Amino acid sequence: MRNSRPDWDAYFMEIATIVSKRSTCIRRTVGSLVVKDKRILSTGYNGAPGGLRHCIDQGCLREQLKVPSGERHELCRGLHAEQNAIIQAAYHGVSINNANLYSTHLPCSICIKMIINAGIGKVIYVDGYPDKLAKELVDESGIILQKINLKGSRSSSTKKPPVRK
């Protein structure tokens, strides 16, 4: 009998992909999970703050201003999926120190800074993102960055997890 159970990384990434379907961004759909000890602590997708109009309803400010991807993050109504996952954990009083973050996309430099300060030790992602500073911050921080394909096979992981208290 053949075992078709996904490994843990593939399992959580498939869930992040499902979470991304809630995205209200016109340009890119992203989903994230914060996971610790094989338990999901929080989820997030990219979209406007709660109670505000979404880009799918009123149009994209970044497209209107012709802002290239990876630049001028402040010119957007929405929050990134990683930001929303961190905020949801904080909102509900859930510690995410030493957790892992699964994201359908490599986090941008703003999200990486939040991930560092939240104490997240490992980021697992599928697709890249054009942000050179994000990779420099990861290198300096000691966070493990692991790219996987949707079937869960690992393609790169280079750092030891940081020890945080």
Side-chain angles (χ1 to χ4, degrees):
M1 184 173 201
R2 197 169 166 183
N3 183 355
S4 61
R5 291 179 70 195
D7 66 26
W8 286 107
D9 286 341
Y11 171 74
F12 289 126
M13 194 58 71
E14 286 181 36
I15 294 171
T17 301
I18 291 168
V19 170
S20 76
K21 293 178 180 184
R22 293 281 306 151
S23 170
T24 60
C25 178
I26 294 169
R27 286 185 156 190
R28 184 185 313 254
T29 59
V30 181
S32 290
L33 307 175
V34 178
V35 175
K36 188 173 184 177
D37 299 327
K38 299 179 183 166
R39 301 291 183 260
I40 297 170
L41 303 178
S42 66
T43 66
Y45 54 87
N46 53 333
L52 301 184
R53 290 175 293 157
H54 294 284
C55 297
I56 58 173
D57 299 324
Q58 75 165 43
C60 175
L61 176 63
R62 294 176 62 80
E63 282 190 357
Q64 293 164 9
L65 297 174
K66 300 185 182 349
V67 177
S69 182
E71 296 179 15
R72 304 290 314 270
H73 300 284
E74 75 279 8
L75 296 176
C76 180
R77 291 183 59 82
L79 292 162
H80 289 185
E82 303 89 343
Q83 293 169 336
N84 273 324
I86 291 168
I87 291 166
Q88 283 301 306
Y91 183 83
H92 293 287
V94 176
S95 172
I96 58 175
N97 191 40
N98 292 316
N100 295 337
L101 184 131
Y102 288 82
S103 186
T104 56
H105 292 73
L106 177 66
C108 72
S109 57
I110 293 171
C111 290
I112 286 293
K113 289 184 274 186
M114 291 179 69
I115 288 164
I116 292 166
N117 278 358
I120 292 170
K122 184 175 181 181
V123 174
I124 302 97
Y125 71 100
V126 176
D127 290 324
Y129 189 79
D131 192 332
K132 181 181 171 189
L133 179 58
K135 290 184 181 181
E136 291 172 8
L137 294 169
V138 166
D139 289 342
E140 187 177 343
S141 72
I143 287 176
I144 296 172
L145 190 62
Q146 180 180 323
K147 182 174 182 174
I148 65 171
N149 67 33
L150 289 178
K151 294 184 183 190
S153 66
R154 293 166 180 87
S155 60
S156 66
S157 180
T158 58
K159 299 199 178 342
K160 293 181 182 177
V163 177
R164 294 200 168 96
K165 296 181 181 184

